[in-house]
Amino acid sequence: MHTLAVAVAEGVPIFELAIPCEVFGYERPGLADSWYDFRLCASPGTRTAAGFAPQDRHGLDALAEADTVVVPACSSVIDDQPPDLVEAVRAAYDNGARVVSLCTGAFVLAAAGILDGRPATTHWMHAAQLAARYPEVLVDASVLYIDDGDVLTSAGTAAGLDLCLHVVRNDHGAAVASALAKRLVMPAHRPGGQAQYIDAAAVQDADELGPVLDWARRRLHEPLTVAALARRANVTTRTLIRRFHAATGTTPMAWLRGIRIDYARELLETTSLPVDQIAERTGLGSPANLRHHFTRTVGVPPTTYRRTFSS
């Protein structure tokens, strides 16, 4: 049997720990002849964030014997990761194990040097911190998960389920993964990526730009230009672009496009307006232009987004 071990660290969030336990930890009669030899690995006295203690556990040194090692979310992305956990995960990887991280478990893999030079993802709220702390990691916050062969990483929380189903799909085939997804009452594959859950234009506005940005937000339906924003701010276009980049990390037009996409998301969620009216109200012009920019930014077409998030 394929040995799959879960690394249980002190204070691990219970939901992210429960995901691999649910997907890999139960026999699945009728799905596959041979499932997984499932093991929980933890240091003595380890407890989860909810105070649970793993029973029938193995030590962290048992990770080195596993074919696959799953690292759930860590308890903190600010503090250094536990050295014994980092060393055990690295030893398993060096011994040929496939390593899978869920949510902020990517910080453990990064601390072990496993993600150096590799594409990886994590929860979008912590992606910038992962990139800053471990600059050798090629962080992509737009996707639900990344399969880089023997190293796989997932975005936040529920995306861990997506990745674990993907692992089942790799190991046992699409039919088994689809049947398991039905048992879990979830889609076998979610369209789009993590970008559909992020406010694309959530930036920190500098005091000197705040009034101009508020002015622009109230006029998204108008054909706003960099020159118009500069006139409103009473500065040259070159000065505006420089200040804009310093305040938001992007260009004025890219920021406007993000604001318009966010407004389109709001209208798709809260109204039944047709796409052509949403395109007009948001200043994105034609329905085709809205679909192009929305799909490129969010990862799914407007109609798919509406079906998923409409209230």
Side-chain angles (χ1 to χ4, degrees), residues 71-95:
V71 183
C74 59
S75 60
S76 172
V77 297
I78 299 174
D79 301 328
D80 291 338
Q81 301 305 315
D84 57 343
L85 174 64
V86 173
E87 292 171 9
V89 171
R90 180 72 207 199
Y93 174 74
D94 290 340
N95 202 40

Side-chain angles (χ1 to χ4, degrees), residues 206-230:
D207 291 340
E208 58 186 3
L209 279 180
V212 178
L213 302 186
D214 290 339
W215 177 83
R217 287 188 181 100
R218 295 193 297 268
R219 292 165 175 80
L220 294 180
H221 60 285
E222 299 178 6
L224 298 173
T225 63
V226 176
L229 293 174

Side-chain angles (χ1 to χ4, degrees), residues 205-257:
D205 300 341
D207 291 340
E208 58 186 3
L209 279 180
V212 178
L213 302 186
D214 290 339
W215 177 83
R217 287 188 181 100
R218 295 193 297 268
R219 292 165 175 80
L220 294 180
H221 60 285
E222 299 178 6
L224 298 173
T225 63
V226 176
L229 293 174
R231 284 195 300 271
R232 182 67 186 181
N234 198 28
V235 296
T236 65
T237 56
R238 180 176 297 181
T239 298
L240 178 77
I241 291 171
R242 185 177 67 251
R243 291 181 181 176
F244 223 95
H245 192 274
T248 69
T250 188
T251 65
M253 298 313 294
W255 178 85
L256 267 175
R257 187 164 54 249

Side-chain angles (χ1 to χ4, degrees), residues 24-35:
F24 306 114
Y26 293 98
E27 292 295 330
R28 300 291 179 181
L31 286 187
D33 294 334
S34 178
W35 200 236

Side-chain angles (χ1 to χ4, degrees), residues 34-45:
S34 178
W35 200 236
Y36 296 93
D37 178 7
F38 182 79
R39 303 175 182 180
L40 291 177
C41 300
S43 298

Side-chain angles (χ1 to χ4, degrees), residues 105-186:
F107 281 78
V108 177
L109 273 59
I114 296 173
L115 298 182
D116 287 356
R118 287 181 178 267
T121 191
T122 188
H123 195 297
W124 62 267
M125 291 180 62
H126 306 296
Q129 186 174 0
L130 179 66
R133 188 164 188 176
Y134 303 100
E136 296 301 316
V137 181
L138 309 177
V139 179
D140 183 355
S142 67
V143 296
L144 292 176
Y145 58 81
I146 289 177
D147 182 344
D148 195 40
D150 57 346
V151 176
L152 301 88
T153 54
S154 85
T157 312
L161 267 170
D162 295 293
L163 179 53
C164 287
L165 274 178
H166 175 73
V167 170
V168 171
R169 189 179 301 111
N170 284 347
D171 293 346
H172 298 282
V176 172
S178 179
L180 177 56
K182 291 177 181 177
R183 295 189 184 188
L184 298 176
V185 196
M186 65 172 292

